[in-house]
Amino acid sequence: MSNRIHRTFPMNNRTSLMSLIAAVALAAAPSGAWALDGAAASAPFGGWVSDGAVGSTPSGGRTADGTARSEASAVPSPTTSAAKTAHLKGRATMYFPAPDNDIEITADAHATFDPSGAWRPTRSWGTFRISHRYKMPDGTWFTNWGDFAVDCLTTGGPTATVTGRLTKVTPGGPWEQLLKDRTRMGLSFYVAGKGRGPSRIGLSGAPLPGEGELSACMAPAADAPVIKGGYTLLDKR
């Protein structure tokens, strides 16, 4: 296996990992969060709900002089003094169009954001793991995995991107040099609500020679359908 995860497989082009087709049934999202069946956590009411609408906000009330306040003025401003937060958590297996290959992504990523609305987080932390189990030519199974320290989580509605640098790999596995280089990889997620599936994952792999380092917060489109497990995503609020 070379330094890109999909080169482990008997595929003949660098984009094969992202050329995926499948469908999975989805369960309803818990109140206040985007979630796929298999994700356990729920989010506080008022976040993104499964149909993509923002949770309820207060309306009405009166101004200091006793006159009725307009609906618009009664809605709290999105800019507050408190930092916004977001998180993505769960584990799922993504579809891959080759037999005897299982790719599982586990994520526990968190971020805080400036209340002014800037897209780049002020702080990100957490971990994710890429685990690839595949059958060797002699019929035995091998699992190549890598643990990553999150350096960026961004979110928007039911979508998220996560990047991180390798911190630990399969001993004696094909990613040992990538560990020495502290290689960064990126993931993207579409966490579908009920009737909006399937949920999907995108995986960058490691940059090819001459491509340069992957930038923080960057990841390819989430195009590989989730076939088992799921995630809970709380958009920044």
Side-chain angles (χ1 to χ4, degrees):
M1 179 172 183
S2 68
N3 66 349
R4 281 183 80 90
I5 186 169
H6 64 269
R7 288 190 171 187
T8 301
F9 312 108
M11 305 299 288
N12 57 12
N13 64 81
R14 60 175 294 187
T15 61
S16 61
L17 181 58
M18 301 306 143
S19 303
L20 309 169
I21 54 172
V24 292
L26 303 174
S31 176
W34 293 92
L36 174 69
D37 186 29
S42 62
F45 183 78
W48 287 89
V49 294
S50 61
D51 62 358
V54 175
S56 61
T57 54
S59 60
R62 293 183 175 273
T63 61
D65 62 3
T67 59
R69 184 188 304 171
S70 68
E71 291 295 313
S73 64
V75 177
S77 167
T79 301
T80 65
S81 58
K84 297 180 180 181
T85 61
H87 74 245
L88 172 79
K89 188 172 183 178
R91 181 173 63 186
T93 300
M94 56 186 279
Y95 173 76
F96 188 78
D100 299 328
N101 287 275
D102 299 312
I103 301 175
E104 185 179 77
I105 307 297
T106 305
D108 184 8
H110 307 262
T112 56
F113 299 81
D114 188 283
S116 66
W119 71 268
R120 188 179 291 273
T122 55
R123 179 182 173 228
S124 296
W125 68 98
T127 60
F128 65 87
R129 169 175 283 203
I130 300 172
S131 178
H132 174 200
R133 180 175 179 266
Y134 57 95
K135 185 175 286 188
M136 303 288 284
D138 63 3
T140 61
W141 289 87
F142 178 77
T143 300
N144 179 54
W145 54 264
D147 287 340
F148 296 76
V150 171
D151 60 16
C152 185
L153 165 67
T154 65
T155 66
T159 67
T161 64
V162 182
T163 56
R165 294 186 181 277
L166 273 168
T167 59
K168 193 174 181 180
V169 299
T170 305
W175 280 3
E176 287 194 322
Q177 183 57 50
L178 298 182
L179 176 62
K180 293 177 183 178
D181 296 338
R182 294 269 299 165
T183 297
R184 176 188 284 132
M185 297 187 197
L187 300 167
S188 59
F189 299 86
Y190 166 62
V191 182
K194 184 177 181 180
R196 296 174 180 268
S199 289
R200 296 176 180 270
I201 303 171
L203 172 60
S204 73
L208 291 173
E211 286 186 334
E213 184 178 64
L214 181 73
S215 297
C217 309
M218 300 294 107
D223 64 347
V226 167
I227 59 175
K228 181 181 178 182
Y231 303 92
T232 296
L233 170 62
L234 177 66
D235 192 11
K236 51 185 176 289
R237 60 182 296 269

